[in-house]
Amino acid sequence: MKIQNKLLLYFFTVSLFNCVSKEKETTTRTSTPKLVIGIVVDQMRYDYLQRFNSKYGEGGFKRLLNQGFSLENAHYNYIPTYTAVGHASIFTGTTPDNHGIIGNYWYDKYLKKSIYCVDDDRHTTVGNDGKGGKKSPYRMFTTTISDQLKLAQNMKGKTIGIGIKDRSAILPAGHTADAAYWFDGGSVGHWISSSFYMNNLPNWVNKFNSLGKADEYLSKPWNTLYDISTYTESIADDNNFEETFKGEEKPVFPHDIPSLRDKNNNYSIIKAIPAGNSITTDFAIAAIEGEKLGQNDYTDFLTLSYSSTDYVGHQFGVDSKEIQDTYLRLDKDLERLFTFLDTNVGKNNYTIFLTADHAAVQVPAYLNSVKIPANYLAGKKLTNFIKTKTKEKFNNDNLIENVSNFQVFLNKEEIKKARLSANGVSNYIVEEVINFDGIYKAVTAKAMQENYFEYGIMSSLQKGYNQKLSGDVLLIPNPSTIIYPKKGSTHGSGYSYDTHIPIIFYGNGIKFGKTAKKYEIIDIAPTIATMLKVEFPNGSTGKVIEEALK
């Protein structure tokens, strides 16, 4: 009996020990990360993950896919799909009708001029005497997930935003960020900030700027990472669908960057080659070290935007060998970043999400060459058509104030003076402009306000319509129809080639797996908020992706 009791006591003790161990293990595995990194790859289509998969290494995109949670059917759910709008929507968890960033540039009907999304003359440049730092996020009406993390931690923990583009650094980091940094090209070649965040650059930034990294990258030609003959996933290098750098005869490898930089705005050329992503990675690693991110008792947040992918895509197009090489090199940069995080923050101490601010259309001229319907729309002709039609009907050539971003802004004062109805003028424009070649749909602002479009492209248009800021008539072009030069490509529509993007979660608190269920870009922020156990951004309209969370 004594032996039996001892055995029972032994098994009870072992069971209890195992339970405690498992509980501790579970707690460790699901505890709040020390660092969250939101990575946005500018103009990344979802299919780049698959097209170039056989040439990616194991430590970059494949690491995220093989150990993280991937959404294979994730989309933008609004129009327009532009850079600033995408970055704002990812981190606010809502659409332009709420957060107020309706474009990169848009016509301000109160100021009567075109404005830039992050311009703010109340602030000055930190880092030089130029105007590149007169910026802030004040035009974004709502909070970001990083703002909510700050509030939840009583303003403890650090938030840093990094991107070659100012808007891509500023908007994701939110209103409460400790800093946002972007690259000042031209004759400068340094990372700068705004007095919105600080009075002087930290020592680590000055040290980085003194290293001459940009000159080092620009001292080498851009050739392919691997033998160009193996780049079978992209079209011929020498074709009629790509734009050259100034000073080049053909858009082909190798691109002699040292000899081209002077004709292409000096340091700014680094934005348009893969080295732009490499120097962004260098700077991000320096920021993690310099700010000791992930090294304290609070959760830090780093927003990191890779923009060279967008510049290359615009110039060379979706199917080019240049875009393929850019992604293969970005894969190496991501691997370098992840390896650094493993060593300096700890494998179980950080959480990453990777997505894109929009995707891109294939070059319409290329699509035409393979018998797929696509076209170009002349913006000036469209504007002249609208103005001519309104003048013919109302005998007044001052009724149209602005046409931009596929929106028509009426001159309300002139309409009132002429004793006309704004609704009547808007309705007439809709009736006429639908006959313009290349315009697929047209709708008035009043229709946006009085109707609810549950699904489809009209729903996307409605979510991008901001009653306070948007125009009086909204237009949608035909599929694969763009206002752009005939070489290179662009984005901005609500069609799948612009909306289908990757979303991958990885690291602390994230399950392994994938799903083909449809999710939307605005679902990222509430999902991260749930993982961090903080309140959603105050304008959030997204849902939690529960299947991605442990």
Side-chain angles (χ1 to χ4, degrees):
M1 181 68 75
K2 288 183 179 180
I3 293 174
Q4 189 176 12
N5 287 340
K6 285 182 179 180
L7 286 171
L8 287 171
L9 180 61
Y10 170 77
F11 285 121
F12 174 76
T13 304
V14 170
S15 297
L16 181 62
F17 176 78
N18 286 339
C19 287
V20 172
S21 296
K22 286 180 180 178
E23 183 178 352
K24 184 178 180 181
E25 182 185 336
T26 302
T27 302
T28 303
R29 197 186 302 129
T30 59
S31 61
T32 304
K34 292 184 177 181
L35 176 63
V36 177
I37 305 178
I39 299 175
V40 182
V41 183
D42 201 326
Q43 203 187 115
M44 184 175 182
R45 292 164 55 109
Y46 172 79
D47 65 355
Y48 291 157
L49 286 175
Q50 309 306 324
R51 275 177 58 196
F52 309 139
N53 185 270
S54 65
K55 292 182 175 61
Y56 289 141
E58 296 299 320
F61 288 117
K62 281 187 178 179
R63 176 173 175 177
L64 299 182
L65 291 170
N66 293 337
Q67 299 177 36
F69 193 92
S70 176
L71 311 184
E72 299 180 335
N73 190 22
H75 288 263
Y76 274 86
N77 61 332
Y78 62 79
I79 299 171
T81 45
Y82 295 141
T83 296
V85 196
H87 281 78
S89 300
I90 292 164
F91 290 87
T92 63
T94 193
T95 42
D97 55 330
N98 294 313
H99 62 58
I101 302 297
I102 63 170
N104 295 331
Y105 296 85
W106 64 87
Y107 182 74
D108 188 312
K109 53 193 176 186
Y110 306 102
L111 298 176
K112 307 296 183 186
K113 67 177 184 178
S114 178
I115 60 171
Y116 179 57
C117 57
V118 292
D119 273 353
D120 191 344
D121 286 336
R122 297 172 299 178
H123 299 286
T124 57
T125 304
V126 176
N128 60 50
D129 296 328
K131 298 181 179 180
K134 302 176 76 171
K135 316 288 179 185
S136 86
Y138 87 99
R139 285 194 170 95
M140 184 168 62
F141 298 152
T142 59
T143 62
T144 62
I145 178 59
S146 50
D147 286 328
Q148 296 301 147
L149 178 61
K150 276 275 194 177
L151 291 169
Q153 297 182 134
N154 197 23
M155 306 310 288
K156 302 294 194 304
K158 292 181 179 179
T159 299
I160 308 290
I162 294 172
I164 275 186
K165 296 178 181 178
D166 47 24
R167 57 188 180 269
S168 305
I170 292 169
L171 297 171
H175 304 276
T176 60
D178 297 272
Y181 301 101
W182 51 96
F183 188 77
D184 199 356
S187 61
V188 180
H190 286 165
W191 293 83
I192 63 170
S193 191
S194 164
S195 61
F196 175 82
Y197 304 101
M198 64 191 76
N199 295 320
N200 298 289
L201 292 178
N203 289 335
W204 69 264
V205 178
N206 288 324
K207 181 181 178 181
F208 186 93
N209 283 335
S210 71
L211 294 176
K213 283 277 189 179
D215 284 305
E216 183 181 334
Y217 283 120
L218 295 179
S219 68
K220 306 168 187 175
W222 174 18
N223 211 337
T224 52
L225 181 63
Y226 305 119
D227 187 329
I228 196 169
S229 66
T230 67
Y231 284 28
T232 55
E233 295 79 11
S234 43
I235 62 177
D237 191 28
D238 189 1
N239 62 68
N240 294 321
F241 314 118
E242 302 172 9
E243 187 56 76
T244 61
F245 287 107
K246 291 179 182 177
E248 277 188 326
E249 292 184 7
K250 291 184 176 183
V252 298
F253 282 107
H255 299 283
D256 189 5
I257 301 305
S259 68
L260 293 170
R261 63 183 288 184
D262 288 342
K263 294 180 180 179
N264 292 271
N265 200 17
N266 199 356
Y267 286 105
S268 293
I269 197 174
I270 200 171
K271 302 177 184 181
I273 61 176
N277 292 329
S278 298
I279 199 172
T280 301
T281 304
D282 296 337
F283 191 77
I285 288 172
I288 295 168
E289 287 182 321
E291 298 290 346
K292 295 181 172 57
L293 300 182
Q295 303 297 325
N296 55 58
D297 295 333
Y298 298 94
T299 300
D300 298 320
F301 207 119
L302 174 66
T303 72
L304 179 58
S305 183
Y306 287 107
S307 299
S308 293
T309 44
D310 183 67
Y311 288 97
V312 174
H314 277 293
Q315 183 172 344
F316 297 98
V318 167
D319 298 286
S320 65
K321 294 205 184 304
E322 282 80 3
I323 203 71
Q324 179 168 0
D325 192 67
T326 298
Y327 276 89
L328 297 184
R329 290 179 179 276
L330 175 59
D331 184 58
K332 297 293 185 186
D333 284 320
L334 290 174
E335 180 176 4
R336 183 159 59 94
L337 174 63
F338 300 159
T339 300
F340 173 84
L341 290 169
D342 290 343
T343 302
N344 292 271
V345 179
K347 283 189 176 182
N348 297 318
N349 292 330
Y350 64 91
T351 303
I352 289 172
F353 65 84
L354 181 145
T355 188
D357 56 347
H358 51 74
V361 64
Q362 290 168 291
V363 179
Y366 168 69
L367 293 177
N368 288 159
S369 75
V370 293
K371 301 180 181 179
I372 293 176
N375 210 342
Y376 295 90
L377 194 153
K380 287 184 178 179
K381 285 186 178 180
L382 174 63
T383 299
N384 290 337
F385 177 86
I386 294 169
K387 287 183 175 180
T388 299
K389 287 295 182 182
T390 52
K391 183 180 180 180
E392 288 175 356
K393 174 69 174 178
F394 302 106
N395 196 30
N396 190 318
D397 57 5
N398 294 315
L399 300 182
I400 306 301
E401 195 165 271
N402 181 268
V403 180
S404 56
N405 290 348
F406 288 105
Q407 297 183 49
V408 181
F409 293 82
L410 300 180
N411 186 332
K412 301 293 180 60
E413 293 177 4
E414 190 68 27
I415 287 173
K416 186 176 181 180
K417 192 186 300 183
R419 296 185 179 181
L420 297 170
S421 159
N423 290 332
V425 175
S426 295
N427 286 328
Y428 175 75
I429 292 172
V430 167
E431 291 173 2
E432 292 297 323
V433 78
I434 198 66
N435 298 313
F436 187 85
D437 187 31
I439 294 298
Y440 178 55
K441 290 182 182 293
V443 64
T444 65
K446 188 173 183 181
M448 289 282 101
Q449 296 168 26
E450 295 181 347
N451 297 280
Y452 172 67
F453 301 94
E454 186 176 356
Y455 57 86
I457 203 160
M458 292 298 287
S459 173
S460 296
L461 189 67
Q462 189 167 50
K463 289 182 176 68
Y465 168 76
N466 187 291
Q467 184 177 357
K468 188 176 183 68
L469 305 174
S470 297
D472 301 288
V473 175
L474 293 85
L475 311 174
I476 298 176
N478 290 339
S480 299
T481 298
I482 59 176
I483 297 177
Y484 204 71
K486 292 192 176 181
K487 293 187 177 184
S489 193
T490 193
H491 49 85
S493 79
Y495 297 112
S496 62
Y497 51 75
D498 279 338
T499 67
H500 191 195
I501 42 82
I503 297 178
I504 313 172
F505 298 94
Y506 169 88
N508 187 306
I510 302 301
K511 287 180 182 176
F512 164 69
K514 61 183 179 180
T515 180
K517 292 180 185 176
K518 187 171 183 179
Y519 284 100
E520 295 170 337
I521 199 68
I522 58 174
D523 298 334
I524 294 175
T527 301
I528 294 296
T530 299
M531 184 200 70
L532 294 173
K533 298 179 175 60
V534 302
E535 185 54 70
F536 292 5
N538 61 13
S540 178
T541 51
K543 58 184 176 295
V544 177
I545 307 166
E546 294 181 53
E547 54 192 313
L549 300 178
K550 286 182 178 177

